[in-house]
Amino acid sequence: MKWIPSEALGSYIALVGVVAPETDGGRWALFVIGAALVSVFLLLNVALANKQGAAEWRAQKKQGDPPKLAGWRLFGVLVVSLASFVAWACALPDTPFLTLNSDATQWGGGVAVVWSLLLPKVAELLDLKLPSV
C-alpha cells in the first residue's frame, strides 16, 4: 500500500462503500475511477515534490537545474503504483476481478503479499523512489 497514494486509496474505499455497486459494470467503473485517482494523485504528488525540491535548491543557491522525478523513473513509479493498486483491489471482497476468476481474492491476496515483499528490493534496484511531499 505504500506505493498507492493514500488519497486515492481512501477515495476508492469510500466510493465502494457509498456506491455499493451491485453490478459487475459498476464494480469495474469504480475500479477504473480508483486507478485514475492513483495516477492523478501520484502525478500531483510528483509535481509538488518537484516544486518543493526546486525551492530548496534555489534557497541553497545551488547551480544548475534541480533534480526532479521525471522521465523513465516517473513512468516506473506510475507503473509500480498502478500494479500495487491492481493487486490490492483484486484482494478485496467483492472485487470486480471476480468476474474473471472466482478465486480472484485468493490470487489477489497472494500476489499482494509477494508483491509487497519483492517491491522494496526491485524499487531499490531500479532506483525508484516515491515522491515525498
Side-chain angles (χ1 to χ4, degrees):
M1 284 182 20
K2 175 183 173 181
W3 287 82
I4 308 168
S6 59
E7 306 92 341
L9 206 52
S11 298
Y12 179 70
I13 291 169
L15 283 171
V16 169
V18 170
V19 176
E22 295 180 13
T23 65
D24 293 338
R27 287 183 199 95
W28 280 111
L30 289 182
F31 172 78
V32 169
I33 290 169
L37 289 172
V38 168
S39 301
V40 167
F41 282 113
L42 178 70
L43 294 174
L44 286 172
N45 289 342
V46 166
L48 288 169
N50 286 345
K51 181 180 176 182
Q52 288 174 354
E56 290 172 17
W57 188 269
R58 285 190 301 276
Q60 295 173 6
K61 300 187 185 326
K62 293 185 177 180
Q63 299 297 317
D65 294 329
K68 62 181 180 178
L69 182 59
W72 78 267
R73 284 197 175 98
L74 174 57
F75 179 75
V77 169
L78 184 59
V79 167
V80 166
S81 293
L82 286 170
S84 298
F85 176 73
V86 169
W88 181 84
C90 189
L92 290 176
D94 210 24
T95 177
F97 289 95
L98 288 169
T99 62
L100 305 176
N101 184 320
S102 62
D103 295 327
T105 55
Q106 290 85 356
W107 280 101
V111 168
V113 168
V114 172
W115 184 249
S116 66
L117 293 172
L118 293 176
L119 186 54
K121 298 296 181 190
V122 171
E124 185 178 345
L125 184 65
L126 297 175
D127 198 24
L128 297 178
K129 295 181 180 112
L130 285 169
S132 57
V133 184

